[in-house]
Amino acid sequence: MNFEKYPFEKLNELLEGITPNEKYELSALTIGEPKFQTPDFIQSELKENTSLLQKYPASAGENYLKEAMVNFVKNRFNVSLELNQIIPTFGTREVLFNFPQYVLFDKKNPIIAFTNPFYQIYEGAAIASRAEVIHIDLTKENDFKASLSDDELKKCDLVILNYPNNPTSAEMTKEELALWVKKALEFDFILVNDECYSEIYFDEATKPASLLEASIEAGNSEFKNVIVMNSISKRSSAPGLRSGFIAGDKEILEGYMKYRTYIGCAAPVPLQKAAAVAWNDDNHVEEFRKIYRKNFQIAQEILGITPPKATFYIWLEVEDELEFTKELFKEKHIKVLPGSFLGRNGIGKGYVRIALVENETKTREVLQRLKDFIDG
């Protein structure tokens, strides 16, 4: 298999040999990893259950974890799921990689479409599945919203959307997602939405919709051909818990669950205990949302950007993203991620991705440094 280098490896190569300004400490705005402590109540649950390390974890996940995830979906999206419509996963990276391999295995000439720019695991899954790729290009001209022609959709076996979107911070409404559900039914392809950023939003009135809600909106209450994935990593500042889920079409999930028994990536039971209490609580998530909301207020004040409705990313338009990244690192000791490392066929060129995952004080300092660089 010939996989592309990961964006962060490309970034290290781009910056190799550059001596940054030692006047400043390094500020890395590249990776989407929250820089906040995982809440104490989650840590305590983990510590109190270390004795359960003596048990093999069930591949299907413990029922209390599945019930916590079902409760989350009900409380957040007002969607009722049965236990056979959801499977706990070891975060979402592994499921985004192996689910396409499972569903495309029996296809003679599989075709997968996904949003571009993208989380690189989508491309890795396509390579591992020997699938032809159709890129769903997200540009300023289409408001970074996913769209394909009927002729393209007729070819697809699997489509992966990602809303709220990494890296552009764009959103699609429930009604817009419902149109995709109707196309999935019309042309009989599996439709996935990677919803890992669904809980990083800033206004209750415009909080992101789930593809599950959109499926019901489209009259598809059994979620035929519809799959969502979500994770606790951003929501609870707990990426180390590796707690995610895949939910939707129970017929697809029944076969996929059998496949998962061979993978061997079930989460250790103490982690499942800790994840369950995290999924069942929203108060701590609102506290994190307040921090991100404040960070974007600072970004609006200093950079003049319009805050997104969700995610913690700024998709900043620049003249030359590679030169911008190198010079910013050299002059201000700030790392950002060139958009062209996240896209293909020229998509992402002219942008850098900035992750606002630090506290208010650090965010203000580094964004002022960035503004000084831009103003030159």
Side-chain angles (χ1 to χ4, degrees):
M1 296 183 194
N2 184 23
F3 294 110
E4 278 273 349
K5 293 178 180 177
Y6 239 63
F8 305 110
E9 185 179 353
K10 292 181 179 180
L11 178 63
N12 290 337
E13 290 178 354
L14 179 70
L15 301 180
E16 189 175 1
I18 298 176
T19 302
N21 189 341
E22 294 183 355
K23 175 181 176 182
Y24 305 106
E25 290 185 0
L26 171 65
S27 290
L29 307 180
T30 51
I31 190 167
E33 180 182 69
K35 302 300 181 184
F36 309 109
Q37 279 292 310
T38 302
D40 288 342
F41 78 97
I42 300 174
Q43 294 191 48
S44 295
E45 188 72 12
L46 176 62
K47 294 170 186 174
E48 290 168 9
N49 286 283
T50 55
S51 63
L52 295 175
L53 287 170
Q54 71 179 120
K55 296 182 63 176
Y56 279 115
S59 295
E62 302 295 332
N63 272 351
Y64 55 78
L65 177 57
K66 295 176 75 170
E67 289 166 358
M69 292 169 167
V70 166
N71 289 341
F72 161 74
V73 173
K74 177 62 177 177
N75 293 334
R76 172 64 175 83
F77 302 112
N78 196 29
V79 172
S80 298
L81 295 176
E82 302 297 330
L83 291 185
N84 63 357
Q85 292 175 311
I86 195 165
I87 300 172
T89 60
F90 201 57
T92 52
R93 182 172 177 171
E94 60 97 346
V95 66
L96 283 164
F97 186 64
N98 64 50
F99 179 75
Q101 294 177 64
Y102 165 73
V103 297
L104 297 177
F105 180 81
D106 291 324
K107 303 293 182 181
K108 187 175 181 181
N109 297 295
I111 296 180
I112 181 173
F114 50 79
T115 45
N116 178 35
F118 52 85
Y119 177 33
Q120 194 156 319
I121 208 70
Y122 307 162
E123 183 179 75
I127 293 168
S129 304
R130 296 185 175 91
E132 178 186 337
V133 173
I134 296 175
H135 291 109
I136 307 172
D137 294 342
L138 308 182
T139 66
K140 182 169 59 174
E141 289 70 29
N142 62 22
D143 293 325
F144 307 106
K145 295 190 177 188
S147 179
L148 286 179
S149 69
D150 283 359
D151 285 342
E152 291 171 311
L153 290 172
K154 288 175 185 176
K155 301 175 184 177
C156 292
D157 298 299
L158 174 65
V159 173
I160 301 177
L161 305 179
N162 170 218
Y163 288 94
N165 184 254
N166 166 24
T168 70
S169 294
E171 268 197 273
M172 291 185 76
T173 65
K174 179 171 65 176
E175 293 73 22
E176 289 168 331
L177 290 170
L179 295 176
W180 273 94
V181 173
K182 291 176 181 178
K183 293 296 183 182
L185 295 173
E186 180 181 356
F187 299 122
D188 196 26
F189 60 82
I190 296 173
L191 178 64
V192 172
N193 194 28
D194 174 4
E195 300 182 353
C196 285
Y197 293 90
S198 69
E199 303 314 288
I200 310 301
Y201 61 84
F202 313 114
D203 187 340
E204 283 290 320
T206 57
K207 59 188 178 183
S210 170
L211 187 64
L212 295 176
E213 294 176 272
S215 187
I216 294 172
E217 176 83 6
N220 184 25
S221 59
E222 293 299 313
F223 312 116
K224 177 175 170 53
N225 289 4
V226 168
I227 295 290
V228 302
M229 301 173 189
N230 212 324
S231 165
I232 214 166
S233 299
K234 323 296 182 185
R235 177 183 186 270
S236 298
S237 292
L241 269 183
R242 309 313 303 134
S243 180
F245 65 73
I246 179 171
D249 188 322
K250 64 184 178 184
E251 291 189 10
I252 294 173
L253 293 182
E254 181 181 7
Y256 176 61
M257 185 62 248
K258 188 180 295 184
Y259 169 82
R260 287 188 65 82
T261 62
Y262 287 86
I263 295 174
C265 56
V269 179
L271 269 67
Q272 293 193 51
K273 283 283 190 180
V277 299
W279 283 112
N280 270 323
D281 181 82
D282 192 58
N283 293 329
H284 73 288
V285 188
E286 178 55 31
E287 293 305 309
F288 289 130
R289 282 195 282 263
K290 289 177 182 177
I291 296 171
Y292 295 125
R293 187 182 297 118
K294 181 62 178 178
N295 283 351
F296 275 108
Q297 289 171 353
I298 294 168
Q300 184 175 28
E301 170 194 332
I302 294 176
L303 300 178
I305 60 106
T306 300
K309 293 179 181 178
T311 84
F312 43 55
Y313 295 119
I314 297 173
W315 190 234
L316 185 67
E317 192 168 8
V318 297
E319 187 171 340
D320 181 325
E321 79 283 2
L322 299 180
E323 285 303 313
F324 183 94
T325 299
K326 290 191 291 186
E327 290 302 313
L328 178 63
F329 180 65
K330 179 181 178 181
E331 294 184 24
K332 299 295 183 180
H333 210 172
I334 296 173
K335 283 186 179 181
V336 294
L337 196 61
S340 56
F341 291 177
L342 298 166
R344 299 291 180 264
N345 307 322
I347 299 298
K349 184 176 173 62
Y351 289 88
V352 294
R353 190 187 76 174
I354 298 170
L356 298 186
V357 292
E358 296 279 8
N359 62 39
E360 176 183 342
T361 301
K362 288 186 177 180
T363 297
R364 181 175 293 278
E365 188 277 328
V366 72
L367 290 185
Q368 187 59 60
R369 217 191 306 168
L370 175 60
K371 179 66 162 63
D372 292 344
F373 171 78
I374 292 172
D375 290 345

